[in-house]
Amino acid sequence: MESLEGLKQFYQGKKVLITGHTGFKGAWLCAILHYFGAEVSGISLKPNTNPSLYEVGGIDDLVHSYICDIRDLNKMEKVFSEEKPEIVFHLAAQPIVLDSYTDPVYTYETNVMGTVNVLECIRKTPSVKSVVNITTDKVYQNNEWNWGYREIDRLNGYDPYSNSKSCSELVTDSYKKSFLEELGVIVSTARAGNVIGGGDFANFRIIPDCVRAMKEGKEIEVRNPNSTRPYQHVLEPLFAYLMIAKEQYLDKSKAGSYNIGPDETDCITTGDLATIFCEEWGEGAKWHAIDYNAPHEANFLKLDCSKLKSMFGWKPRWNVREAVGKTAEWSKAYFANENVLDTMLKQIKEYLKEEENNV
């Protein structure tokens, strides 16, 4: 797996643009790239949670930030023209399955036409060399199989969020073949499983629900406790994105579509995840299942990540218990009014130190 020194050397001084930089994963990615010495710019809406990791972590001080809707092509083009990025990570999206049922038009506009606009800006920006479009593990037609989905399996997400991300994959492939390959722009897509980590304040996500319950002194309420998902710490896919962008920048044959998920032992039920959270948090934390008349969500979903492992020698570093423990650690530091960015950098360094020890 790529060493700390190799990644730091590569990204130091690089001009990197992130769409969705004010989101949970975007804020963590900004922190990593700032630590690496990259020149980071971001295009995003204002943070959509209150509080938000972007604001409490002071991430705005680390980047050239442009508050812009990715549906606005003209504004996007101006940002790309001004920043002239070499590497682009496209994270901006409407990311919540249940919200996509409430507002499917906005979900498709953002996740499909937003991707078209990002790719159109890339097509018109000669400085761009390497692009990673981040989608989701939910792009696959879910047959409730007991084995993991591979990159060659059919794309056909069920709900508006998942389906719009399937469309984003198809749009990316078309732009790659029609325009970007000829221009020398190298493009990959990354399909990550469910991520957890400090600073996720979103609704309808199990770990944020757990943290909110702890803050309020309540018992955790869990919907769909028997649903199985691949859970991983947010740093796992982020470092995979960074690795993919670097490797394809240096060798275009490394471009492709990649699943990014935990080992099979960390593909667990929501109920088991809540139990681990209670054990890691302590203080008598408990959970119970609730009846929830929600729209369709997949019951069983996991990824086959052998392509990423064989291509790059990648492997996850923190198991699900460690991931939950790091999330609890961050959340307790936040509740204690400790410096959030310091906690983020501490965990980034811990992850990289462990990575170096495993190279």
Side-chain angles (χ1 to χ4, degrees):
M1 187 173 178
E2 181 60 49
S3 69
L4 163 62
E5 196 58 35
L7 280 178
K8 284 188 72 175
Q9 287 179 353
F10 175 77
Y11 281 101
Q12 187 167 12
K14 287 285 193 304
K15 300 193 72 171
V16 181
L17 187 146
I18 302 168
T19 71
H21 70 292
T22 64
F24 167 56
K25 289 170 75 175
W28 273 100
L29 186 55
C30 288
I32 296 168
L33 285 165
H34 177 75
Y35 176 63
F36 281 173
E39 185 177 337
V40 186
S41 57
I43 296 173
S44 184
L45 297 175
K46 292 180 180 179
N48 64 352
T49 63
N50 184 21
S52 76
L53 178 60
Y54 183 79
E55 291 173 332
V56 301
I59 305 300
D60 195 57
D61 296 332
L62 311 182
V63 301
H64 304 153
S65 180
Y66 298 85
I67 300 304
C68 171
D69 194 321
I70 62 170
R71 296 176 297 171
D72 189 331
L73 178 58
N74 290 332
K75 285 186 178 180
M76 293 263 291
E77 287 178 336
K78 290 177 182 177
V79 174
F80 272 78
S81 177
E82 182 172 337
E83 290 295 334
K84 298 178 174 59
E86 299 169 77
I87 299 170
V88 177
F89 294 98
H90 176 38
L91 281 73
Q94 190 298 95
I96 306 297
V97 170
L98 295 181
D99 287 349
S100 76
Y101 282 105
T102 303
D103 198 344
V105 173
Y106 174 71
T107 299
Y108 277 101
E109 286 178 345
T110 301
N111 296 354
V112 183
M113 285 310 300
T115 298
V116 171
N117 290 343
V118 171
L119 293 168
E120 184 66 7
C121 290
I122 289 166
R123 183 172 77 90
K124 296 178 178 179
T125 307
S127 59
V128 178
K129 304 300 179 188
S130 180
V131 179
V132 180
N133 177 18
I134 286 79
T135 61
T136 175
D137 58 349
K138 299 172 184 64
V139 295
Y140 297 107
Q141 178 172 301
N142 194 335
N143 299 308
E144 305 285 347
W145 286 333
N146 288 326
W147 54 87
Y149 291 90
R150 301 166 299 167
E151 290 84 353
I152 59 173
D153 287 325
R154 187 182 183 193
L155 303 178
N156 188 16
Y158 180 101
D159 56 85
Y161 164 71
S162 304
N163 187 265
S164 68
K165 283 296 199 174
S166 303
C167 294
S168 177
E169 289 269 356
L170 295 174
V171 166
T172 302
D173 189 59
S174 176
Y175 255 80
K176 180 168 59 175
K177 291 184 293 190
S178 300
F179 309 113
L180 301 181
E181 285 180 350
E182 184 178 346
L183 295 171
V185 181
I186 313 304
V187 184
S188 285
T189 61
R191 305 162 183 173
N194 291 34
V195 298
I196 59 179
D200 186 359
F201 297 102
N203 293 321
F204 305 121
R205 287 181 181 164
I206 178 60
I207 293 298
D209 287 347
C210 291
V211 173
R212 278 188 286 269
M214 294 302 94
K215 185 176 183 181
E216 296 167 4
K218 298 180 179 178
E219 195 165 299
I220 300 162
E221 296 182 340
V222 178
R223 17 173 255 283
N224 302 324
N226 297 317
S227 295
T228 299
R229 296 285 189 277
Y231 291 101
Q232 59 191 327
H233 192 274
V234 64
L235 292 181
E236 301 282 8
L238 292 182
F239 277 101
Y241 305 159
L242 291 165
M243 179 181 62
I244 292 167
K246 170 185 178 288
E247 291 298 324
Q248 69 182 18
Y249 184 103
L250 300 174
D251 179 356
K252 65 181 182 180
S253 70
K254 300 292 181 67
S257 296
Y258 293 98
N259 289 336
I260 305 169
D263 289 331
E264 188 166 339
T265 54
D266 292 324
C267 192
I268 62 175
T269 67
T270 306
D272 286 341
L273 185 72
T275 297
I276 292 172
F277 178 88
C278 292
E279 292 169 353
E280 290 296 316
W281 190 276
E283 302 175 16
K286 295 179 180 179
W287 70 270
H288 65 272
I290 59 170
D291 291 328
Y292 190 80
N293 187 24
H296 174 274
E297 289 188 83
N299 286 316
F300 190 88
L301 180 64
K302 65 180 178 180
L303 298 174
D304 180 336
C305 301
S306 56
K307 180 181 177 182
L308 186 72
K309 292 177 179 179
S310 62
M311 181 68 76
F312 300 114
W314 175 88
K315 62 180 179 179
R317 298 303 176 190
W318 288 344
N319 62 37
V320 68
R321 182 172 290 278
E322 290 170 309
V324 172
K326 297 294 184 184
T327 305
E329 176 189 63
W330 188 98
S331 300
K332 289 184 175 183
Y334 169 65
F335 291 160
N337 293 316
E338 296 178 14
N339 186 291
V340 167
L341 183 58
D342 284 349
T343 306
M344 294 171 73
L345 293 174
K346 172 178 174 287
Q347 294 191 346
I348 289 167
K349 291 174 184 177
E350 288 171 349
Y351 181 91
L352 290 168
K353 182 173 184 289
E354 181 167 345
E355 176 189 278
E356 283 193 308
N357 292 338
N358 281 275
V359 169

